[in-house]
Structures are given as C-alpha cells and as structure tokens.
Amino acid sequence: MTTPLLDVSDLTVRFSQDRGKVYAVNGVSYSLARGETLAVVGESGSGKSAHVLAMPGLLGTGRYTGAGAAVEVGGSAVFAGKELIGMPEAELRRLRGSRIGFVFQDPMSSLNPVLTVGEQIAEAITSHGVSPRTAEARALDLLDIVGIPEPRRRARHFPHQFSGGMRQRAMIAIGIACEPALLIADEPTTALDVLVQAQIIDLMKDLRRQLGMAMIWITHDMGVVASIADTVQVMYGGRIMERGPVRAVFHDTRSAYTWGLLNSLPDAEMHAPSLAGRRPRLRQIPGQPPDMTQVPVGDPFAPRNRFATHRCLSETPPLQQVADGAPGHLVAAWYDLPQVLRAVAHRDASPQALTEMGT
Amino acid sequence: MIPSVQGNAPDLLRVEGLVRHYRGDAGIFSRHRHVVPAVDDVSFTIGRGETLGLVGESGSGKSTVGRLIMRLDDADAGRIVFDGRDITDLRGQGLIDLRRRLQVVFQDPYASLNPRRRVGDIVGAGLRAHGVETSQSGLRDRVAGLFRRVGLDPGQLDRYPHEFSGGQRQRIGIARALSLEPELIVADEPITALDVSIQAQIINLLLDLQDETGLSYLFIAHDLGMVRHISHRVAVMRRGRIVEYGPVGAVFDDARHPYTRALISAIPIPDPDREASRRQIAGDDGEVASDAKLREVGRGHWVLA
C-alpha cells in the first residue's frame, strides 16, 4: 500500500473562551489517499470544520473562532510526509496555497474587495515564486479553466462585479492556482442557489479529474455527499461516528446518528398531501445538539439515541471496522444497528413507530 | 386572470396582480438609474388550513412577497385581500388588528429575538399589547401553555435567548407567532438556519400546529424537498414572476415550465446510486416575455407561457 497523502491521528482541538473551554474535536484519526475525495458531514459544533482547518493552521486566524479565543491543537497530522501540528507559521503559510488549496463558503469575505479578480489570482501564484508576467498569463488560463467567460475582460473586474456563482469560480481558481495535492472545500456551495450549486459541483468534479488532486469537502448536505464523495465521514460531538465508502455508509448504515440524518430527510417519492387527512411526519431526531463546553463522556449521540445502552452513556466507543461490512467501513457504536432495527421492525410492524426515534 | 382556488371554501388570502419595484442604481455616481421589478404581477390564493409553498432562488422576489403580505412594505400595484377584506392600503388601527390574525416566523432565530428580554416576555408581548391578557398570572399561564404547545419547557420562561439552541429559539419564535391565534403565518425560510437534525423537528411541529388549529401557512423556502413535504400547493418564482403554480404533486411530478424542471433536476439526491443516474435538465435563458401569462394546463396547475 502506498503512503497516504494525509495521515491524521488522535487530533484534538480545544477553544478557551471567557465562558470556559469548548471541546471541539475529541480524538479524530483517519487517512486520505492521493486523489481521494472525502466528504465530512456533520452539523454546527460537530467538529467537521474545526478539525480540518486546525491542520493547516487556519483556526488561530479568527475566521472560525471569536477574537481572543485561544486554540489548542493536539495529536498529529502528517501531510506528504511532514507533520503539520506544531509546524512554524512561515512554513505553514508556504504550504497553504501551494500544496494545500482552499475554497470557502462565502467568496465575498474571502476575496479582497479592492483588488481585481485577475490580480488576486496572479498574487496567489507569484507568492509562490513565479514571475509576474507568467502569473498574469496563468491567471487568465485559470479563469478559463473554471468557466469564467471572456477571461481577459473579467480579470480586470472587482469581486463585487461578479455574481455569487462567478465569485465562487474565482475562489476556486485561486484555490487550484498552484495545482495543490489537496483542496479543502468548506461548504463551498451552501450559500449558492441550487442551479449554481450544480454547476460548481460539476466544475469541481472536472478539476479533480484533470488535476488528480485529493479533496476534503465539508458539508451538511447528504445530497451533495452522495454526489461528490468517494469516502464519507460522519461527525458528531467532535468525533467520527461512522466512516467508509459512500455506498456502504448510505446503504449499510451502522451509526444511529447517520441513520437518523438520512431518515429525517423528506422522501421525494412521497405522495402529494391533500387538505383532508393527516400528512406524514418526518422521522425527526429528538433533542438538541450536545453542549460542547462539557467534558465529553461516552458516545456523544447517546442522549438523543433511543437505541443507546448504559454503556453508550458512560464509555466512548472506539471507531472500528464493521465486522461484516465493506472494507474501510468503520463505526463507533456499542450497539449493532442492523440488529436493533430488525428487532424494532419485528416488535412494531408499523413504520410509524419509527417516526420519533426517541423514547 | 387570477388562478382560482381548488376547493369551494372562500380563500383566506387572495393576492391579485401584486407589483413592487425597487429603484436600483449601480453606484452613487451612476447615471443609469433603472427600475428593478422585485415582484411583478404576482397572484395566488391560500385557503383555510392550507399551506402554499413559495420557492425560488435568491433575488426571485419570494421574500418580498412575504413582506408585502405582512404589510411591512407597500405594493406599487395590485391587491391583497385577507378574509374578504382589502388590506393593501390598511393603516393605523386596522393594521394593528390585522397583526392578530396574520403573523410571521423569521429565518434567523438568533437575530429575531431581543437578547435583553426574557423569552417568556418575548412570547407574551403580543398578548399584552393587544390587551388579550392583562393579569400577570393569566399572562404567565398562557405563555406556559404556548411553551408546552411548541415543545419547550415552561420552567424556562425566565431565561434569555442566548441560553437556548437554534432549534429551541425557532420554537420560541413560533410560540410568539402563535400567541394571538393567527389564521395565517408567513414563514420566511424558517428552517434554513437550522441544523439538519433539527429541521425535521420544526417541520413536524408546523404540521402538528396546522392539524390542531387549522391555520394556514405561506411557507417561503428554497429547499424544494421540504417545500414538497409541507405544502399543499406550490408557486415557483423567478425574477419577480410566478412561472408555475399548482398542487404539489402536479408541479413536482409533472413540471411544465423549463425553469421548474431545471430546478427540480438540479437537487442532489441523498442516495449515491440514484444520484449517479440523476439527469440534469438545462434551464432556459431566463428571459420572460413581457406579455407572458399564466395559463391553466391541468386542474389548478398554471404555467407562465
């Protein structure tokens, strides 16, 4: 087996604020192969963004934490043979934008409003030791590659003259400017309308093929995951709950949280409602997201999980290969979900009984 | 020509030829002032106990429609008729009385609750202002009842908004909207800011409340899946106009307007196998002929052509 591009082990992230500590990431380990697309899903506070952005040193910049919050990152993240955790900032900065590219959710706040789009792309290239003239020509190529029409004219425009979709394309041009081995995309389509989102997803798929780069795509949208991912990693309470090939996780779900997420979505094949008669309810996950200021104990999803056992509440389950599952399909659970679901289905034959996944 | 209602019951809300223009300019020094039609000849009805989903992309005018109906903004042309009464130019006491019957739930449960007020006071403010409940203990009982109805603990009445999660804050916003027993709630992107695991809770709550009280919703959203789930009928807006309008089943399963078809086909499906075989339909160029009219293509199913 070849060495992975990224090898993460026991990564932890803590924020210290005036209200106390936030246990944002609580021991995350995995590896990413060259050219692999990993989708990281989870809700706010799951640690999905925090753990990814901690690695290239982006958490201390104030983008994701309030000003004044101290960040402690522990564990290890080895990227192309080099340890990122504890790497001096100057070295990290060289890595960012050359070997690791970024695309963020909101291009308007990531782009500089007083520089033209062409200047910003060229700057991303020259800062890594390319002559300005070459960089300028390359910037035009990149605008063309990301599907911006009339690159020569558009390069002279400022970000506010671009539509939301075009700004995200410009952001992507900067992200891939130095042909990174890894592109980190943090909710890159969340702020976009569905038609523009579809275009951006298609573009990213093309670029991935052309450049052979690996991608970590952070999202909360299971549809987007199904569309782009090779591997999916479901996070909750700062931990990985389930991880594996996308088909295995969707069709042979082993974590009650993943199951709850997938089943709480409306069914596109549902019958149209009529004014008379009770309309079907969604299968909601009861309760509220965990309080991340508490020292984590046990399975973080246990308080919302009707299948939880006493052990789930007190002891943290390790992330382990699913015994009879696809290779690389891992789950952190003390319960056996397929078995539990069979038992429930047997006990109450009506699917209505599963509407509320709580007790 | 106004698309008519499906049933025989009189409409609770009837919107006819609504128009709202905003004067746009490219900058302070721009000589080109142009008029941007935010809402252009929009007509629809909402029956009692019915949910109309209003979908469209950002800038389509869907939220402006909500604001016009709430009378937070004035229409340039057209009529808004609520329970048989023209409310288009309602002012003063008439508008205050209307507020009891027509309420709103906002997108952002963080920005829409006053951080300095206790949540019990926030929920009870309308009851007090309208003189529905004047005694302190009566008010407290009613607010506690509202808390229970939306799934909140009445023991938390004296807390402040920051002590609640996003989903709980949206429940507080819903309790506030419910307090005066309105007949219509305009819900403007009420789940967009919430986590996925919380969205289903709020949708189920809205369905429960409708079953219990027979209230109507104008549900404004861009999440087509949720709109399909919660709505009886749906109107698709684009560039200020309704391009398609009708029963949910007809619009989603038998979409006729190219834009509706493109929109539906662009949603990623949360299933890797079905997603791999999803065919995306290209949209049209977005140009709408100025003489285009809604035409009925099926029972209650209207398409702009």
Side-chain angles (χ1 to χ4, degrees):
Chain A
M1 211 175 129
T2 53
T3 53
L5 176 66
L6 177 68
D7 202 1
V8 185
S9 93
D10 203 23
L11 192 73
T12 57
V13 178
R14 309 258 180 280
F15 301 122
S16 300
Q17 294 167 322
D18 19 316
R19 282 197 200 146
K21 259 192 169 117
V22 176
Y23 298 84
V25 179
N26 302 305
V28 161
S29 306
Y30 63 92
S31 62
L32 180 75
R34 287 175 195 279
E36 180 181 355
T37 297
L38 168 69
V40 181
V41 276
E43 40 204 282
S44 44
S46 64
K48 64 182 194 299
S49 289
H51 99 270
V52 175
L53 297 169
M55 295 189 270
L58 280 182
L59 277 187
T61 59
R63 177 192 287 276
Y64 286 84
T65 55
V71 182
E72 288 165 48
V73 180
S76 159
V78 178
F79 173 77
K82 284 191 176 152
E83 177 61 65
L84 297 179
I85 310 304
M87 185 183 269
E89 174 55 27
E91 208 177 324
L92 276 174
R93 199 177 309 130
R94 273 198 298 279
L95 208 58
R96 295 196 296 256
S98 62
R99 307 297 314 283
I100 305 178
F102 299 90
V103 180
F104 295 108
Q105 175 175 338
D106 178 7
M108 204 53 195
S109 62
S110 304
L111 293 169
N112 186 336
V114 300
L115 290 182
T116 66
V117 167
E119 284 168 339
Q120 294 185 60
I121 300 172
E123 190 185 64
I125 306 165
T126 44
S127 62
H128 295 283
V130 177
S131 78
R133 179 180 291 225
T134 316
E136 224 166 275
R138 175 84 182 125
L140 294 182
D141 283 350
L142 282 163
L143 284 172
D144 187 43
I145 288 169
V146 299
I148 292 178
E150 301 180 73
R152 202 163 283 281
R153 192 171 68 83
R154 299 297 274 175
R156 292 196 291 268
H157 285 182
F158 292 92
H160 76 265
Q161 293 170 287
F162 276 48
S163 69
M166 285 296 159
R167 277 199 288 267
Q168 197 53 296
R169 287 177 191 267
M171 229 3 256
I172 292 168
I174 295 171
I176 63 164
C178 295
E179 303 198 0
L182 170 63
L183 186 70
I184 292 176
D186 189 2
E187 304 254 13
T189 63
T190 301
L192 303 175
D193 288 320
V194 61
L195 289 172
V196 182
Q197 165 172 285
Q199 293 166 6
I200 296 293
I201 289 175
D202 284 348
L203 170 65
M204 301 278 269
K205 283 179 175 170
D206 278 352
L207 292 174
R208 169 178 73 180
R209 235 187 332 264
Q210 285 171 32
L211 304 174
M213 63 189 174
M215 234 168 21
I216 298 181
W217 187 305
I218 302 165
T219 181
H220 63 272
D221 185 325
M222 291 303 231
V224 172
V225 173
S227 172
I228 53 118
D230 301 315
T231 308
V232 54
Q233 176 166 306
V234 182
M235 294 190 64
Y236 189 84
R239 293 186 188 281
I240 299 173
M241 306 300 285
E242 182 164 13
R243 177 179 213 283
V246 68
R247 280 194 172 72
V249 172
F250 276 72
H251 297 313
D252 184 22
T253 308
R254 300 299 178 122
S255 160
Y257 175 61
T258 315
W259 191 88
L261 273 189
L262 288 170
N263 282 281
S264 68
L265 301 172
D267 186 351
E269 268 135 42
M270 194 192 67
H271 298 294
S274 65
L275 262 178
R278 191 183 141 91
R279 280 163 297 161
R281 298 299 189 259
L282 296 169
R283 290 178 179 177
Q284 66 186 47
I285 300 175
Q288 303 300 320
D291 179 358
M292 301 304 286
T293 62
Q294 302 299 311
V295 181
V297 179
D299 175 341
F301 187 60
R304 300 175 73 183
N305 180 9
R306 80 182 278 205
F307 310 133
T309 61
H310 284 297
R311 196 177 188 191
C312 299
L313 291 164
S314 57
E315 220 181 307
T316 306
L319 187 68
Q320 284 177 324
Q321 168 69 38
V322 172
D324 53 343
H329 187 184
L330 316 176
V331 68
W334 291 124
Y335 50 84
D336 177 347
L337 188 69
Q339 193 189 320
V340 173
L341 289 175
R342 272 196 302 275
V344 171
H346 189 71
R347 195 178 65 215
D348 23 51
S350 83
Q352 199 64 45
L354 286 172
T355 296
E356 176 91 359
M357 229 185 66
T359 40
Chain B
M1 182 67 184
I2 297 140
S4 63
V5 253
Q6 42 180 24
N8 31 24
D11 309 319
L12 177 61
L13 183 79
R14 192 172 182 85
V15 169
E16 298 172 5
L18 211 55
V19 175
R20 180 71 174 106
H21 295 298
Y22 291 113
R23 207 170 354 165
D25 48 23
I28 329 169
F29 302 108
S30 170
R31 284 176 299 137
H32 304 285
R33 284 190 172 252
H34 55 286
V35 172
V36 185
V39 172
D40 187 8
D41 193 20
V42 162
S43 303
F44 58 80
T45 61
I46 303 179
R48 285 188 186 275
E50 189 186 40
T51 300
L52 178 72
L54 190 57
V55 300
E57 311 212 314
S58 46
S60 63
K62 59 188 192 302
S63 287
T64 305
V65 169
R67 291 175 53 80
L68 291 171
I69 291 167
M70 283 305 299
R71 295 297 326 282
L72 298 169
D73 191 3
D74 290 323
D76 293 315
R79 291 201 325 147
I80 306 164
V81 179
F82 183 80
D83 195 20
R85 181 170 178 207
D86 191 329
I87 62 162
T88 321
D89 300 309
L90 211 56
R91 302 256 178 271
Q93 190 58 41
L95 201 52
I96 292 170
D97 292 341
L98 178 72
R99 288 275 176 271
R100 287 187 62 167
R101 307 176 63 188
L102 211 173
Q103 282 284 325
V104 65
V105 172
F106 295 102
Q107 170 176 346
D108 187 347
Y110 293 85
S112 59
L113 302 178
N114 184 341
R116 287 181 229 283
R117 297 189 67 190
R118 295 174 199 274
V119 293
D121 294 336
I122 292 173
V123 171
L127 290 166
R128 192 196 298 266
H130 285 269
V132 178
E133 191 62 65
T134 44
S135 86
Q136 197 56 37
S137 65
L139 192 63
R140 223 180 146 76
D141 286 350
R142 277 183 89 127
V143 171
L146 285 162
F147 265 55
R148 276 188 288 271
R149 268 177 74 193
V150 299
L152 289 169
D153 174 5
Q156 299 182 328
L157 286 180
D158 291 322
R159 299 202 180 175
Y160 290 92
H162 74 81
E163 297 176 74
F164 294 86
S165 67
Q168 288 171 321
R169 284 184 220 206
Q170 197 54 292
R171 288 177 193 269
I172 294 166
I174 292 168
R176 172 174 61 184
L178 279 179
S179 64
L180 293 164
E181 296 173 22
E183 289 145 87
L184 175 67
I185 288 183
V186 174
D188 190 1
E189 302 264 11
I191 58 166
T192 306
L194 303 177
D195 280 318
V196 179
S197 81
I198 302 300
Q199 291 185 358
Q201 292 182 2
I202 297 299
I203 292 292
N204 284 350
L205 173 62
L206 292 173
L207 287 169
D208 287 345
L209 294 170
Q210 188 167 53
D211 281 0
E212 286 164 23
T213 64
L215 60 74
S216 309
Y217 295 121
L218 176 64
F219 187 83
I220 303 171
H222 67 269
D223 182 333
L224 295 172
M226 284 298 185
V227 166
R228 183 195 170 110
H229 187 84
I230 198 172
S231 307
H232 299 96
R233 289 184 303 138
V234 63
V236 181
M237 279 190 77
R238 175 175 211 200
R239 299 192 181 179
R241 300 200 71 173
I242 289 178
V243 299
E244 190 152 2
Y245 171 71
V248 156
V251 171
F252 279 87
D253 299 333
D254 186 21
R256 301 295 182 87
H257 195 276
Y259 178 69
T260 315
R261 295 163 73 143
L263 210 54
I264 292 169
S265 75
I267 310 166
I269 306 166
D271 177 323
D273 293 333
R274 280 163 63 199
E275 176 58 22
S277 60
R278 175 170 62 90
R279 287 272 167 277
Q280 207 165 305
I281 301 166
D284 56 359
D285 58 6
E287 292 307 316
V288 179
S290 56
D291 60 346
K293 288 262 173 281
L294 281 172
R295 294 171 212 282
E296 193 164 21
V297 293
R299 212 165 147 243
H301 184 182
W302 299 74
V303 177
L304 191 69

